[in-house]
Amino acid sequence: MSLLSADARPQHSFQTDDASLLPIAEKVQRGERLSFDDGVTLYRSGDILAVGWLANLVRERMHGDLAYFNVNRHINPTNVCVASCRLCAFGRKKGEAGTYTMALEEAWETAGSGYSEAITEFHIVGGLHPDLPFEYFMDLVRGLKQRFPKVHIKAFTMVEVAFLAKRGKMTIPETLQRMKDAGVDSMPGGGAEIFADRVRHIICDHKIDGGEWLETAKTAHQMGLRSNATMLYGHVENDEDRVDHLLKLRAVQDETGGFQTFIPLAFHPDHTALAHIPRTTGMLDIKQIAVGRLMLDNFSHIKSYWQMVSPKMAQIALRFGADDIDGTVVEEKIYHDAGATTPQGMRRADLVRLITEAGRVPFERDTLYRAVTRSEDTFTVAV
Ligand code: V47
């Protein structure tokens, strides 16, 4: 770990053997916004150390040596889904083998099971079930709030909100308001995939389109619900699609400021309809983090989600633009159904070790990035 604060460190000069990066490096050093073409150039560059150096410069300007993590638990109430996305191995059609839907008591019990460490966040996402009423999801949230009043509930992607609104014959603002009233505190970033229509038609053609995802996010932010934003990469998208995705997120963020964290998600092909696509490589994984950090100048946080890219890659990413590695998770289903070989959860101490050995300073956060202090089984959030 460096003993110097980020400001006091000697300023090394930028070095690269890729001349196309030089004008971008000047912009980054001056704190200027990067363009669409800059984004494509960054993706095309083979000099990952130079791209990573720039991303790290921005990351240290914003966060110094701090690296954020949380103690969270995932809950996936059902895997029954009408969407049949080609990218997904988790969702199943109603009546198919391997489907499950948790009874409310079971979901509340699941929430309290697992590690004894006091959890600060429930992350809830699931399939688009054709029959479960909206009130099932609201009862789920209300029951969690009653049983775990201190735990932040980050629930339902923009895709689930749009689906629940349509089924319940409600507008998006009405649906979001009822979610808020039930106890939803913020929203996860899933379902964004890649916004470009050409790609969406191939990987998730029954989902809301990119414009609807962005509009729903905007509405949520305007109603005081913060959210994350994801990008699924490593399937049929190209560099231009990725940059287009990042710029669309950046434009919404300019308007609302409601995104907390950008999370690139590596595509896991096993057991999906796109199983012929090879898994992402380390170079691609690290580049998503670095380019995301450089293009999304109005996002505070870039998360390298250890479940997706492995704890080892997430740790390296802390030197390539990432400032967050997500949390304990406890029980991950979506990527494990698609062949992920990472553990389903990690202990707090393991996350702290990953961060410390990367030369960063672990900062336990709640979902809104406030400091968490804890004794064994309880926690306090600094407000
Ligand atoms: O939207 C589904 C992705 C997402 C696969 O907000 C797949 O903090 C890879 O959004 N291979 C859901 N990815 C998960 C999600 C998330 C995860 C962690 C943190 C946060 C956050 C959000 O999972 C989906 C989709 O993009 N997904 N199938 C697959 N085979």
Side-chain angles (χ1 to χ4, degrees), residues 72 74 76 85-90 121 123 125 154 157 159 187-193 207 213 227-233 261 263 265-272 303 305 307-308 326 329 332 334-335 337-339 365 367:
N72 63 349
H74 282 207
N76 306 118
C85 294
R86 287 187 193 88
L87 68 91
C88 185
F90 170 73
E121 171 191 283
H123 166 116
V125 299
K154 182 181 79 181
T157 62
V159 176
M187 295 168 68
E193 321 309 2
K207 250 181 201 171
W213 191 98
S227 81
N228 289 336
T230 57
M231 175 175 81
L232 186 75
Y233 66 90
T261 312
I263 315 157
L265 298 173
F267 177 55
H268 284 244
D270 295 3
H271 314 300
T272 73
K303 187 190 283 186
Y305 182 34
Q307 284 275 3
M308 292 301 258
D326 203 73
V329 180
E332 202 293 313
I334 297 177
Y335 317 116
D337 282 354
R365 60 164 179 88
T367 313

Side-chain angles (χ1 to χ4, degrees), residues 67-74 115 117-123 151-152 154 228 260 303 305-306 323-330 346-349 351-352 355 362-370 372 374:
Y68 303 87
F69 72 97
N70 74 348
V71 176
N72 63 349
R73 195 197 207 292
H74 282 207
Y115 304 150
E117 297 158 320
I119 273 163
T120 64
E121 171 191 283
F122 292 129
H123 166 116
V151 178
H152 181 108
K154 182 181 79 181
N228 289 336
Q260 303 214 100
K303 187 190 283 186
Y305 182 34
W306 67 265
D323 59 272
D324 191 317
I325 57 171
D326 203 73
T328 47
V329 180
V330 183
M346 264 211 279
R347 290 188 178 275
R348 186 181 181 282
L351 296 170
V352 167
I355 292 172
F363 183 104
E364 183 179 344
R365 60 164 179 88
D366 73 348
T367 313
L368 302 175
Y369 286 83
R370 297 172 301 192
V372 170
R374 59 171 61 240

Side-chain angles (χ1 to χ4, degrees), residues 189-207:
E193 321 309 2
I194 285 278
F195 295 135
D197 285 342
R198 178 189 63 79
V199 176
R200 249 180 144 72
H201 285 319
I202 300 170
I203 65 171
C204 57
D205 50 352
H206 302 307
K207 250 181 201 171

Side-chain angles (χ1 to χ4, degrees), residues 170-246:
M170 292 179 289
T171 63
I172 299 285
E174 274 164 6
T175 312
L176 290 166
Q177 189 56 51
R178 287 182 62 185
M179 279 167 44
K180 274 182 79 171
D181 294 344
V184 170
D185 297 302
S186 73
M187 295 168 68
E193 321 309 2
I194 285 278
F195 295 135
D197 285 342
R198 178 189 63 79
V199 176
R200 249 180 144 72
H201 285 319
I202 300 170
I203 65 171
C204 57
D205 50 352
H206 302 307
K207 250 181 201 171
I208 54 172
D209 66 23
E212 287 170 292
W213 191 98
L214 290 159
E215 272 308 310
T216 308
K218 225 190 272 183
T219 309
H221 298 171
Q222 283 157 353
M223 292 177 63
L225 279 170
R226 295 178 73 79
S227 81
N228 289 336
T230 57
M231 175 175 81
L232 186 75
Y233 66 90
H235 41 85
V236 299
E237 86 288 6
N238 59 29
D239 292 337
E240 285 80 0
D241 297 324
R242 293 177 192 146
V243 178
D244 171 72
H245 188 93
L246 294 174

